[in-house]
Amino acid sequence: MRPRTPPLTHTGSPWAHMRTGLLVGVVLAALIAVLWSFGGLHRTELRTLDLRYLMRFLVERSGVQEQPVVVVAIDERSLAAVGPWPWSYEVQAQLVRALADSGAAAVGLAYLLPSEAAPGESGVLAEVLMQTGNVVLASAVRGADDLAPPSDLIEAAAAVGSITLQPDRDGVVRRLSSRSGSSAFAPFALAYATGTGRLDPAALQSGPLLINYRPPANEARIQLHRWLPTVSAVDVLEGVVSPLLQGKYAIVGLTASPGADQHNTPLRQQVPGVYVHGFALRSWLLNDHIYTLPGTVTLVAVFVLAMAGSAFTFLLRPWLQTLVVLCMALAAVVTGIVAFIRYSLWLEVTPLLATVIGIYVAGLVYSQSVVDRDTRRIRQLFRRYVAPEVVDRLLQGGTDVEAGRRMEVTILFADVRGFTAFAEQASPEDVVRCLDKYLQVMADSILAHGGMLDKYVGDSVMAVFGAPLPRPDHAQAALAAALDIRRRVAAIGEHEDHPGAALEVGIGIHSGEAVVGSIGSPLRREFTAIGDAVNVASRLEEAAGPGEILISEAAAQAAGIELVGAAVEYRLRGRSDPVKAFSIREDTALAFGRGSSVVRASSEG
């Protein structure tokens, strides 16, 4: 027999499952949209963005070769050579002049200039700024106030930008906006790019822009201070780094601890702020940003995924649901990574993954409800026909038992002999009690031997062995049930006060093929067996005398028992060809009951 392949979809109408999934998908998408709108998933999404930065670093080995920004670090060596921080305006002027003499295209001082100085002391720096013409100064936000350079320096500078960075909720600096919070000045990197003429303010995008922390080519370590060319301020003052600064955009900042401001980035924590400003400036100079899609696109994607995914997965069995949902989640993750690495596009995958998880959970709940419904339906259908253990096997097997199937079965008919005459003489109450007693005895014997109680017809019963689950010993089980019925009916006679105690049964047994399934009209159906085997067994029961079991030659052979004596040909009503059968009476039944493989059959017709 070919092994049964596991079903892929739930039983019942596929459109009903898909409609339910579609409705659940709409509700799920609405919940995800509300959660996303209130920022419930943003922290998780930011973590996935950091992982994409890391994935790009691990995968990408051909980063942008051009590095237009050079960091001039005021490091420990510079402080040791020049003096402790803050340096005087005169030293600041020397540093700016040295950078201009080294061929720097522009200079940005990404730190606050000394606020405590003698009147007119800033004039020496203002004069250098006027002569250079491309120096950007820094301001900062403290509370609701701006800490700005002196007015003469603001007038002499090309621009002033705020070095105050606004981290995300988790404390990581990932983006800069076109305005720096409540400051009157634009962010430092933006002021640098626009003030030096490298960026047209009219072409500036509205809203925040993500800083692209992109490593240079073939960089093997996550060290942001190596990803941007860095020179020491003391080397600039001594004029030994001119080739490195030629045509570059210099940004000067404090890197020495503990005076340097430190910030967390997606790739590394406690990074000096000058490098954050440097990467932001590089992003604007090269137009190399991390781009995002409008929030409406994400919400539309959530609704489409929720509705289509739920409608499809609700149709599937749980094991296939799991496989499909894993593929959906993997597709979302891979798409997000590829879009980030190849196109610098930030696709928000967290709401999609939350939708996939919601689809999976809802699908499992729905599958369980379908299984429970099918379980109740099968139990309701078979609890009156077969033994409880047979129902359990049906539920474990997951077979669609209602569909008509051709099966090899053994049919048993048993009828109470003399019941009609008894009913004429007894009261209706005694007739009902007597009939219930005999039918219960016959039903108990049939169920005890694994048979399916098909139907009651008046004072007779029909049973099927080998259905709804196939079994190789169906004929043996039918014969054993017949002997048990006859024994139990005889035991009723021991109770003299029982009405109808002298009644006996006639039994017919035949094996053959029959179609077993749920048969009938849409309004009323019953689970039964249909075929010639049923007709033959019914006619043998009619031919059997009181206390006699007629078993056809086919059923005896199927049972694997050796019958002594010749089979008798019976001319059955409605059949042109005779049927060979054996009569098993009380004396022969005793030998069979002791487990002998030989049954002595009577040849009496």
Side-chain angles (χ1 to χ4, degrees), residues 108-112 136-138 161 163 188 251-254 261 273-274 277-278:
L109 304 182
Y111 51 83
L112 290 176
V136 179
L137 301 182
I163 59 172
F188 182 81
I251 180 168
V252 187
L254 185 65
D261 57 330
V274 63
H277 297 299

Side-chain angles (χ1 to χ4, degrees), residues 168-378:
D168 290 318
R169 296 178 181 178
D170 56 356
V172 177
V173 178
R174 299 182 180 88
R175 68 190 89 203
L176 293 177
S177 62
S178 57
R179 301 300 302 174
S180 184
S182 61
S183 175
F185 302 99
F188 182 81
L190 178 58
Y192 194 134
T194 56
T196 57
R198 284 299 303 266
L199 180 66
D200 183 5
L204 184 65
Q205 299 183 27
S206 61
L209 289 177
L210 289 165
I211 303 173
N212 198 349
Y213 295 96
R214 185 189 292 275
N218 302 320
E219 180 58 51
R221 287 185 290 180
I222 304 179
Q223 294 182 351
L224 270 63
H225 65 276
R226 296 184 54 175
W227 289 9
L228 289 177
T230 304
V231 297
S232 177
V234 67
D235 292 334
V236 174
L237 290 171
E238 295 175 357
V240 297
V241 291
S242 296
L244 296 177
L245 294 168
Q246 188 67 39
K248 301 296 184 178
Y249 291 82
I251 180 168
V252 187
L254 185 65
T255 63
S257 300
D261 57 330
Q262 305 285 333
H263 300 279
N264 296 333
T265 68
L267 290 168
R268 196 174 181 89
Q269 295 182 342
Q270 298 301 303
V271 175
V274 63
Y275 287 99
V276 178
H277 297 299
F279 276 105
L281 175 60
R282 174 194 166 279
S283 296
W284 265 303
L285 293 178
L286 298 180
N287 194 26
D288 185 25
H289 300 283
I290 301 297
Y291 300 98
T292 60
L293 294 176
T296 53
V297 176
T298 301
L299 293 181
V300 169
V302 166
F303 271 89
V304 172
L305 177 62
M307 294 166 61
S310 298
F312 179 64
T313 56
F314 272 42
L315 184 63
L316 306 176
R317 293 278 181 164
W319 68 270
L320 190 54
Q321 279 185 7
T322 302
L323 181 61
V324 170
V325 166
L326 286 176
C327 290
M328 292 166 59
L330 182 62
V333 171
V334 171
T335 302
I337 293 175
V338 171
F340 187 83
I341 294 176
R342 298 199 59 177
Y343 305 105
S344 296
L345 180 62
W346 177 21
L347 298 179
E348 296 170 322
V349 300
T350 300
L352 300 180
L353 293 178
T355 303
V356 171
I357 294 174
I359 291 173
Y360 183 57
V361 173
L364 289 183
V365 172
Y366 181 72
S367 296
Q368 186 61 42
S369 68
V370 172
V371 170
D372 290 342
R373 183 198 64 193
D374 291 344
T375 300
R376 291 192 301 269
R377 177 173 54 85
I378 292 176

